[in-house]
Amino acid sequence: MADTILKVENLVSTYGPITALKGINLEVKEGEIVSLLGSNGAGKSTLMKSILGMVTIGEGSSIQYNHDGQMVELIGKKSHQIIPLGIAIVPEGRGVFINKSVEENLEVGTFFRKRPAARDKELLDTVYQTFPRLKERRKQLAGTLSGGEQQMLALGRAMMADPRLMMLDEPSMGLAPLMVAEVFNVIKNVREMGITVLLVEQNAKQALKIADRGYVLTTGEVTQTGTGKELLADESLVAAYLGAKK
Amino acid sequence: MLVQQILNGLTNGSLYALMAVGVTMVYKSLGMLNFAHGDVMMIGTFICLTLINVGGLNVLVAIPLAVVCSAALGFCLERLVLRRVEFSSFVNLLIATVGVSYVLRNGAMVLFGTNPQKFPSIFSTTPLDIFGFKITPQSIGTICVSLALIIALHFFFTKVKIGKCMELASSNPESATMMGINVSLMRFMTFGISAGLACCAGVLIAPYTYARADMSATIGLKAFAAAILGGIGNLWGALLGGLILGVVEALGATYISSAYRDAFSFIVLFIVLFVKPTGLLNRKIENKL
């Protein structure tokens, strides 16, 4: 049995007067792809931001992260303390720095993980191999890239961080179908690189197909969980939350 | 005559530019104009003067010390005032800087008096004859130091990791946070550097204007004008804006009327904003959905 890399227990998160997460329990094991599904406003992005220490978290919550074999409590830490532990995120809406070149954007990923410079080079090669488009456009400003290319850039930037856990927030949003397929392919590659993946998606079918396990979030609560296959097979679920049909 | 006036204009312009850079940095990082910027400059100048007159220090020793003190003042401003109001609203933030400006200016009047005080210049003020044009070493020094500082700043923001992080934190705070950048620390540093630069500008201006509690009144405004003219948030824009304002002013004062000296820069600002609302060097990059 693989080790647990992330364990969320009884997570309550609030935005001012609004309680966005009402006691979430969730576990991610090393090497897994875990998909987090749910409609708009279900709290998926809030969960990611909670893990990164960017929202207010209620008492009794716990987010444990396995850092070099030791479970570390992330609550109370700030994002700049959490990222160096080996967590990287591909933010919703990609969040690339539009005034910076592709190269500069990728470099940001390397800022807060200590490792030999040779590893940076190695990772850059991997990223350029995965996304030849980025290499062609490495001097271009990120703002001039197409939406799909920006998504690749955000993925590449996260890969540059050499993370142990990569969180992706709706990476297929607003992309053309061909590009969506490519993004999901890359996510599979990422796992093959030995990176654990926590994937937030509205594109439920695709997300469940590549996932080992999934969680369904409804208005701040986990309403269903199971392996990717189980969830895919559950027709009522697919119909109710996941917008069914191909 | 024309070249002579342009030279004079460039001297003033480089000072406007140096101030504008500080304004633009803070604008980028907080999305607001820091109305206390000019007064931080004034306080820095007085700190320097006090170190020289009371402390008996050499100018060249006093200046770096004063710059450090000003940076500390910038840090305090950010920590003690701006951070407290940060989460309320943009208008509150703006008003807070106006408040700080008044406190600093009136505090200076109480502490240092209201009389203009002579400020020693670093370089000689005896004009040199270069190809028939008269220019003082102080002018040349002012232009060179300002340019050198702005160029150094450019390298800091593009080549040094912490500088890059500051730049990223101000251009997209949320993404920067998600990448592990300590955005609030970067903001803190931005204020410090901006205040340090203001002090540099102050000690370069003071030999001309004397150290006065109200010395920031016009130059503070010109710094905003220069920053906006060049395209706010843009380092090179601030430099360009400052130099243009300086030259336009000098030429306007000579060839049209010296009484309207200060008006010329704002006329230019109006015209530029009318034609190119983003300022000279700023482009709009659309964020794709």
Side-chain angles (χ1 to χ4, degrees), chain B residues 60-133:
Chain B
L60 292 176
V61 182
I63 290 176
L65 280 176
V67 170
V68 172
C69 292
S70 306
L73 177 66
F75 288 146
C76 295
L77 247 178
E78 201 269 353
R79 248 324 113 96
L80 303 177
V81 183
L82 299 175
R83 184 159 304 187
R84 311 260 156 186
V85 287
E86 182 185 346
F87 296 108
S88 46
S89 83
F90 165 77
V91 176
N92 292 4
L93 209 54
L94 207 71
I95 297 298
T97 69
V98 174
V100 168
S101 155
Y102 276 95
V103 169
L104 292 181
R105 195 175 302 183
N106 290 293
M109 285 181 191
V110 174
L111 274 176
F112 306 111
T114 49
N115 288 331
Q117 297 176 35
K118 193 166 164 32
F119 194 92
S121 52
I122 318 166
F123 307 100
S124 152
T125 46
T126 328
L128 295 175
D129 227 313
I130 301 172
F131 304 121
F133 304 115

Side-chain angles (χ1 to χ4, degrees), chain A residues 46-145:
Chain A
T46 309
L47 178 63
M48 298 222 156
K49 287 191 178 167
S50 306
I51 295 168
L52 289 182
M54 294 171 71
V55 288
T56 317
I57 291 177
E59 289 206 9
S61 309
S62 155
I63 303 173
Q64 303 255 319
Y65 171 74
N66 184 336
H67 180 56
D68 294 338
Q70 279 211 319
M71 293 310 273
V72 183
E73 177 63 60
L74 297 186
I75 292 174
K77 284 194 165 47
K78 297 266 171 61
S79 53
H80 60 91
Q81 297 164 313
I82 293 170
I83 300 291
L85 299 178
I87 300 180
I89 185 166
V90 177
E92 184 178 3
R94 305 179 274 272
V96 296
F97 299 101
I98 54 173
N99 290 316
K100 298 276 161 234
S101 72
V102 167
E103 251 173 0
E104 287 167 316
N105 267 280
L106 289 175
E107 190 199 6
V108 179
T110 68
F111 278 171
F112 301 104
R113 270 286 257 174
K114 286 209 169 60
R115 51 164 180 232
R119 181 78 181 131
D120 285 353
K121 180 80 187 54
E122 209 179 295
L123 284 165
L124 191 63
D125 288 342
T126 316
V127 169
Y128 282 156
Q129 246 166 41
T130 317
F131 306 111
R133 272 299 251 298
L134 293 184
K135 189 171 187 181
E136 281 165 34
R137 315 210 151 178
R138 62 187 181 277
K139 299 282 175 205
Q140 239 172 281
L141 291 186
T144 65
L145 299 181

Side-chain angles (χ1 to χ4, degrees), chain A residues 22 24 95 113 119 126 187 208 230 243:
Chain A
K22 307 164 184 164
I24 299 278
R113 270 286 257 174
R119 181 78 181 131
T126 316
I187 295 172
L208 286 175
E230 284 166 10

